[in-house]
Amino acid sequence: MTADGLLRYNGHSFWDCETWMFPTLLAWHPSIAQSLLEYRVERLPLARAKAKSYKPPYAGAMFPWESAVSGAETCPSWADTGQLEQHITGDVAFAARQFFAMTRNATWANSSGFDLASGAADFWVSRVELNATDGLAHIKHVIPPDEYATGDDSVYTNCVAAESLRLAAAWAARFGRMADPRWAAIADKIPILWDAARGYHPEYAGYTIGTQIKQADVVLLAYPLMLNMSDAVRQADLAAYESATDPNGPAMTWAMHAIGHLDNGRPDLAASLFNRSFANVQMPFAVWTETPQGGTTNFLTGAGGFLQGVLMGYAGLRIHDEYLTLRPALIEGTQSVAVRGLRYRGATIHAQYDAATLTLTLAAVASDGDHLSVLDELTGSSMALFCCDSVALPLAGGVHVFELRISPSALPVHRLGPWLS
């Protein structure tokens, strides 16, 4: 918002694009998701120019906080976010990683994707400050996703920066590209802040627990970044930041809290938070506003958060580098959930479940003989579906997490039938 009180950012791209809107587009419309990444690829020269504009200049590609047609920074100069909210460079790289995991488009990853990943990694190498005393690579003076704060070692920024560096190193090894050895080395030196006494992740160095924050920040470590942590730690993060989040903040936050409670097996805590994720929907056009009081209308970030609450929260979809997982849970007041048309590595998958049964259908495949391998992590049972098989899987006896892989036709498999142990 400008000094005259008028909105000037309508239609601009922020981290909202990659973090909030991209994941469900990727699951249902991978070609549209690719176009969002190509938008960033085509503007890499401007991202490199932004990195060089600092004093001293940074290396690599530093994506603007607020981008429009040219790819130059369009955030007004009076707003510190344009200079200091730098996690967006890691967010773009993380979206590239998700795209490759879902599509296995190696041609893209070895060209445009590697340009994004290596550009981001080179930026973070130049951005960190190596400390000879503690041996760590600190990222100082940034604005985290919580835009009420400025501080050192934002735990979200540090985490997504480290993942950017690891992605570039991994893709260089996979595709036989030249790698900077500092990518992997610095990734392991970036600190992920941890308060052992309270058992939670501080938002940044010196954060005082209970200080009000604007929106989802630390809770994004477990999802979407999937930082490994225990249920107890995740619950501590949720508790610390749920009460500290500004109730008048933007709409997308509450779906992330709902996802966290669902992952921790607390649908009772998730329900009211999920309802808050669409509480900003305004009539007569049923579109989100940015805040409960208004703000930006047709706030697509809010819609993106809500959709992730459904697909990644209640259906439990997770994108891993080599497979997907589903962990079905019912939305409060519903008897069944249907997820149609998931696109994964050239296959189309339908999933429908109620309290007793999950039905999976492999509706299409990229090549004859490709099949869907299904593993129930709770029971260890497995089977394979060929096009156009359906199978009903029991959901009784505990929380079921189903691992889904698309396997090529050359692999020996057992076709549909009884579960195989």
Side-chain angles (χ1 to χ4, degrees):
M1 185 173 289
T2 60
D4 60 6
L6 298 176
L7 293 173
R8 301 296 192 195
Y9 54 73
N10 288 346
H12 290 186
S13 290
F14 299 73
W15 75 310
D16 307 49
C17 183
E18 284 78 17
T19 302
W20 299 99
M21 304 171 199
F22 182 85
T24 50
L25 283 173
L26 178 60
W28 281 308
H29 302 285
S31 62
I32 297 177
Q34 182 174 351
S35 74
L36 302 184
L37 291 173
E38 289 298 336
Y39 166 83
R40 299 296 187 182
V41 172
E42 291 167 2
R43 288 155 182 80
L44 273 168
L46 275 297
R48 295 189 180 101
K50 179 175 171 65
K52 291 178 181 177
S53 72
Y54 285 72
K55 294 181 176 57
Y58 298 127
M62 180 185 186
F63 289 97
W65 176 241
E66 188 172 345
S67 181
V69 174
S70 71
E73 180 64 73
T74 56
C75 185
S77 59
W78 56 262
D80 288 342
T81 48
Q83 289 294 304
L84 301 180
E85 194 154 0
Q86 298 167 5
H87 61 81
I88 187 170
T89 296
D91 300 326
V92 171
F94 190 75
R97 174 182 172 180
Q98 290 179 308
F99 178 75
F100 181 61
M102 284 291 280
T103 66
R104 237 357 168 233
N105 187 336
T107 301
W108 183 88
N110 191 23
S111 54
S112 298
F114 188 75
D115 291 342
L116 284 178
S118 61
D122 288 341
F123 165 69
W124 292 118
V125 166
S126 69
R127 180 63 178 85
V128 301
E129 297 182 28
L130 293 169
N131 186 301
T133 302
D134 61 17
L136 298 177
H138 298 278
I139 302 176
K140 296 185 176 180
H141 197 57
V142 293
I143 293 176
D146 165 25
E147 292 174 348
Y148 292 167
T150 302
D152 297 342
D153 286 327
S154 150
V155 68
Y156 177 89
T157 302
N158 283 16
C159 187
V160 81
E163 289 305 309
S164 300
L165 290 158
R166 294 189 180 103
L167 176 66
W171 280 6
R174 175 185 286 270
F175 300 120
R177 303 291 291 267
M178 186 69 70
D180 185 334
R182 294 177 297 176
W183 293 344
I186 288 177
D188 292 336
K189 294 179 180 179
I190 294 177
I192 305 300
L193 298 183
W194 167 248
D195 185 328
R198 293 181 173 86
Y200 90 119
H201 293 96
E203 187 181 89
Y204 52 85
Y207 174 79
T208 301
I209 195 165
T211 301
Q212 189 177 67
I213 69 172
K214 178 181 179 181
Q215 59 193 36
D217 187 314
V218 175
V219 297
L220 303 176
L221 296 181
Y223 173 81
L225 299 186
M226 295 199 288
L227 180 69
N228 187 33
M229 67 180 74
S230 69
D231 288 350
V233 170
R234 191 170 191 184
Q235 193 59 47
D237 284 348
L238 290 165
Y241 296 104
E242 216 157 276
S243 58
T245 301
D246 187 344
N248 296 317
M252 70 282 189
T253 287
W254 303 113
M256 297 301 109
H257 284 267
I259 289 171
H261 289 304
L262 288 165
D263 282 352
N264 271 7
R266 293 298 306 271
D268 55 323
L269 297 179
S272 63
L273 295 164
F274 176 67
N275 291 343
R276 290 180 73 178
S277 76
F278 58 87
N280 290 14
V281 174
Q282 304 291 334
M283 294 302 172
F285 301 111
V287 297
W288 270 261
T289 56
E290 185 172 6
T291 70
Q293 289 73 35
T296 301
T297 53
N298 200 14
F299 186 57
L300 296 181
T301 310
F306 164 76
L307 287 172
Q308 289 188 66
V310 176
L311 186 58
M312 284 73 175
Y314 284 96
L317 177 70
R318 290 292 180 277
I319 302 170
H320 301 266
D321 287 335
E322 301 300 333
Y323 57 92
L324 301 180
T325 53
L326 292 175
R327 188 217 61 249
L330 286 174
I331 299 171
E332 182 185 40
T334 65
Q335 295 181 334
S336 65
V337 172
V339 179
R340 300 183 179 91
L342 286 178
R343 302 289 299 281
Y344 181 52
R345 299 190 180 184
T348 301
I349 303 166
H350 305 318
Q352 185 164 348
Y353 62 91
D354 55 23
T357 305
L358 166 68
T359 301
L360 290 173
T361 302
L362 183 60
V365 292
S367 302
D368 290 343
D370 286 0
H371 56 277
L372 179 67
S373 299
V374 184
L375 169 67
D376 184 344
E377 293 181 359
L378 179 67
T379 65
S381 302
S382 62
M383 64 166 44
L385 280 72
F386 286 78
C387 191
C388 300
D389 288 335
S390 292
V391 63
L393 311 174
L395 292 178
V399 177
H400 292 256
V401 178
F402 297 92
E403 182 180 303
L404 310 180
R405 297 175 185 262
I406 293 296
S407 302
S409 57
L411 295 180
V413 296
H414 296 277
R415 198 177 173 86
L416 259 175
W419 275 104
L420 303 172
S421 298

Short mmCIF file of all heavy atoms in Angstrom, two decimals, residues 364-371 386-387 407-410:
data_model
loop_
_atom_site.label_atom_id
_atom_site.label_comp_id
_atom_site.label_asym_id
_atom_site.label_seq_id
_atom_site.Cartn_x
_atom_site.Cartn_y
_atom_site.Cartn_z
N ALA A 364 -5.11 -42.70 -15.91
CA ALA A 364 -4.31 -42.55 -17.13
C ALA A 364 -2.84 -42.68 -16.77
O ALA A 364 -2.45 -42.43 -15.62
CB ALA A 364 -4.56 -41.19 -17.78
N VAL A 365 -2.03 -43.09 -17.74
CA VAL A 365 -0.58 -43.19 -17.55
C VAL A 365 0.11 -42.58 -18.77
O VAL A 365 -0.48 -42.43 -19.83
CB VAL A 365 -0.12 -44.65 -17.36
CG1 VAL A 365 -0.62 -45.20 -16.04
CG2 VAL A 365 -0.58 -45.52 -18.51
N ALA A 366 1.38 -42.28 -18.61
CA ALA A 366 2.13 -41.68 -19.72
C ALA A 366 2.53 -42.73 -20.75
O ALA A 366 2.56 -42.44 -21.95
CB ALA A 366 3.38 -40.98 -19.18
N SER A 367 2.83 -43.96 -20.29
CA SER A 367 3.28 -45.02 -21.20
C SER A 367 2.59 -46.32 -20.84
O SER A 367 2.34 -46.59 -19.66
CB SER A 367 4.80 -45.21 -21.11
OG SER A 367 5.49 -44.03 -21.41
N ASP A 368 2.29 -47.13 -21.86
CA ASP A 368 1.67 -48.43 -21.61
C ASP A 368 2.54 -49.24 -20.66
O ASP A 368 3.76 -49.33 -20.83
CB ASP A 368 1.50 -49.20 -22.92
CG ASP A 368 0.44 -48.59 -23.81
OD1 ASP A 368 -0.37 -47.80 -23.29
OD2 ASP A 368 0.43 -48.90 -25.02
N GLY A 369 1.91 -49.84 -19.68
CA GLY A 369 2.63 -50.66 -18.73
C GLY A 369 3.05 -49.91 -17.47
O GLY A 369 3.38 -50.55 -16.46
N ASP A 370 3.09 -48.57 -17.52
CA ASP A 370 3.37 -47.83 -16.29
C ASP A 370 2.29 -48.15 -15.28
O ASP A 370 1.12 -48.36 -15.63
CB ASP A 370 3.39 -46.33 -16.55
CG ASP A 370 4.63 -45.87 -17.29
OD1 ASP A 370 5.48 -46.72 -17.60
OD2 ASP A 370 4.73 -44.66 -17.57
N HIS A 371 2.66 -48.19 -14.02
CA HIS A 371 1.69 -48.56 -12.99
C HIS A 371 1.93 -47.76 -11.73
O HIS A 371 2.98 -47.13 -11.54
CB HIS A 371 1.75 -50.05 -12.70
CG HIS A 371 3.12 -50.52 -12.29
ND1 HIS A 371 4.10 -50.83 -13.21
CD2 HIS A 371 3.67 -50.72 -11.08
CE1 HIS A 371 5.20 -51.21 -12.58
NE2 HIS A 371 4.97 -51.15 -11.29
N PHE A 386 -2.63 -50.90 -12.53
CA PHE A 386 -2.38 -50.54 -13.92
C PHE A 386 -3.56 -49.69 -14.41
O PHE A 386 -4.62 -49.64 -13.80
CB PHE A 386 -2.23 -51.78 -14.79
CG PHE A 386 -0.92 -52.49 -14.59
CD1 PHE A 386 -0.70 -53.31 -13.49
CD2 PHE A 386 0.10 -52.34 -15.51
CE1 PHE A 386 0.50 -53.96 -13.30
CE2 PHE A 386 1.31 -52.99 -15.34
CZ PHE A 386 1.51 -53.80 -14.23
N CYS A 387 -3.39 -49.02 -15.52
CA CYS A 387 -4.48 -48.24 -16.10
C CYS A 387 -5.56 -49.21 -16.59
O CYS A 387 -5.27 -50.17 -17.30
CB CYS A 387 -3.94 -47.43 -17.28
SG CYS A 387 -5.07 -46.20 -17.90
N SER A 407 5.71 -46.35 -11.36
CA SER A 407 6.81 -47.23 -11.72
C SER A 407 6.74 -47.56 -13.21
O SER A 407 5.65 -47.76 -13.75
CB SER A 407 6.74 -48.53 -10.91
OG SER A 407 6.78 -48.25 -9.52
N PRO A 408 7.88 -47.60 -13.89
CA PRO A 408 7.87 -47.90 -15.32
C PRO A 408 7.52 -49.36 -15.61
O PRO A 408 7.63 -50.22 -14.74
CB PRO A 408 9.30 -47.58 -15.77
CG PRO A 408 10.11 -47.74 -14.52
CD PRO A 408 9.24 -47.31 -13.39
N SER A 409 7.13 -49.60 -16.84
CA SER A 409 6.64 -50.93 -17.22
C SER A 409 7.70 -52.00 -17.13
O SER A 409 7.39 -53.19 -17.05
CB SER A 409 6.08 -50.88 -18.64
OG SER A 409 7.07 -50.42 -19.53
N ALA A 410 8.99 -51.64 -17.14
CA ALA A 410 10.04 -52.64 -17.15
C ALA A 410 10.17 -53.37 -15.81
O ALA A 410 10.76 -54.45 -15.74
CB ALA A 410 11.38 -51.99 -17.49
#
